[in-house]
Amino acid sequence: MLRLKYFVENQVFGVCTRLGEKFKISTGSIRLYFIYISFITMGSPIIIYLILAFWMNIRKYLRQRNNPTVWEF
C-alpha cells in the first residue's frame, strides 16, 4: 500500500503539491477537498485538475526551452 501511495504522489502530475506550496496549505487537505468536491459535483473538478496539470507541464517545457543546457546546443 505504501508503494502505491509513493508512486501516486511522485508520478501523478503534482497539482495538489504545487497548490499546497503556493498557498501554504497542507497537501493532504487539498487532496481531501478535491476528492470531496469531486464526489459532490459528479467529477467536474477532474477537468480543472487536468487543465492545471497541462498548464504546469507547458510552463515546465517553456522554461526548459528558454534556458537550454550545454548538452542541448
Side-chain angles (χ1 to χ4, degrees):
M1 191 64 160
L2 287 176
R3 290 178 60 190
L4 177 66
K5 176 184 172 186
Y6 290 131
F7 174 76
V8 169
E9 288 178 356
N10 292 329
Q11 300 298 324
V12 180
F13 303 112
V15 174
C16 294
T17 304
R18 176 76 174 126
L19 288 174
E21 290 173 357
K22 187 168 182 141
F23 295 119
K24 296 183 179 23
I25 301 173
S26 128
T27 305
S29 63
I30 291 175
R31 288 182 182 132
L32 283 176
Y33 292 141
F34 177 75
I35 291 168
Y36 294 153
I37 290 171
S38 294
F39 281 123
I40 291 172
T41 60
M42 304 296 180
S44 62
I46 293 172
I47 296 169
I48 295 169
Y49 184 88
L50 292 175
I51 290 170
L52 287 171
F54 177 74
W55 182 253
M56 286 173 51
N57 193 19
I58 292 294
R59 287 183 62 196
K60 184 170 60 171
Y61 171 75
L62 291 175
R63 285 183 184 160
Q64 288 176 351
R65 186 171 174 225
N66 290 336
N67 299 324
T69 62
V70 175
W71 305 109
E72 294 175 359
F73 287 118

